[in-house]
Amino acid sequence: MTEAILLVGGKGTRLRPLTVHTPKPMVPAAGVPFLTHQLARARAAGVEHIVLATSYLAEVFEPYFGDGSALGLHLEYVTEEEPLGTGGAIRNVASRLRSGPDDPVLIFNGDILTGLDIRALVDTHESSGADVSLHLTKVTDPRAYGLVPTDDTGRVLAFLEKPQTPEEIVTDQINAGAYVFRRSVIDAIPLGRPVSVERETFPGLLSAGAHLQGMVDSTYWLDLGTPAAFVRGSADLVLGRAPSPAVPGRCGDRLVLPTARVASDAKLSGGTVVGEGAFVAEGARIVGSTILPGAVIEPGAVITDSLIGTRARVGRRSVLTGTVIGDGAVIGPDNELLEGARIWCDARIPAGAVRFSSDQ
């Protein structure tokens, strides 16, 4: 059976303060660590053995997932002591693989939420005889991504850096962060130094005449690298827009974990999640947001498209839109925090201290 490598070593810098105490793949999305959704989807596709390439806060993964048996998987963990890049991380775990030289190995980035048909990607790889196969997705505005043009058979022609001019946008296909490698290609990656698959491995393979195959799958795809995207991804999982067998409850407008408490007149909608032990008081309105375990939302607070950290508190009548509140932070009553605000872990905002409109 196909085995897989999951790249979960990144520091999640763009997601701070969510990742101050928690590695990005372990931040809860739809009630469970995001990594749980990736593992469950891989298992549903028939994968049985997964090696996790860890680095930042590596010590938190194994205590939570153990040997993977609860998910029907066999998990192993390899920690890189120095950052090695995507290619270096893949090569660093190669000794744990069981595959033969010509066998396929799945590789996933740990921050992509996708509806990719994993079996179809493996089948494409095997039927085309490729050395590496890539999941490609089409985006409306590809300027922020590396472009991957292909011929009419799907064979990759080039890897183009982020386009700077309209003339450079030769395709709307981008690298979506999931691959199938022939095992022998992994073993050929230099060992013990940083390597980027996007900038070194893939272009090098192309120039050497290797066969790189692209498979366009334009089902749900979201890079969870920013707080706004992470909040949206969690909401989409709850709403059923993004597929996952790991959502701990029925898909719908809200997901309230078993030990959470929500006042009868509080209104939750838009894929809102209320984590274990959290409390939402009377009159609160929460739309499309994630309330992490132990957080408290006081009466009359209005929270939209935001993430409230573990054990944080949002005061009475405070209004939060597009905001991230770090673990243990306290937002006093009558504050107004709008798009892009990030409140650091354990910070304290006094009552009425921050506003974008009149207090009258």
Side-chain angles (χ1 to χ4, degrees), residues 9-32:
K11 290 186 175 181
T13 305
R14 291 182 297 159
L15 276 177
R16 288 171 71 88
L18 295 180
T19 51
V20 170
H21 301 130
T22 307
K24 177 168 51 177
M26 296 298 288
V27 177
V32 296

Side-chain angles (χ1 to χ4, degrees), residues 278-297:
F279 174 61
V280 179
E282 60 271 14
R285 288 187 288 126
I286 307 177
V287 181
S289 297
T290 295
I291 313 302
L292 292 186
V296 174
I297 310 302

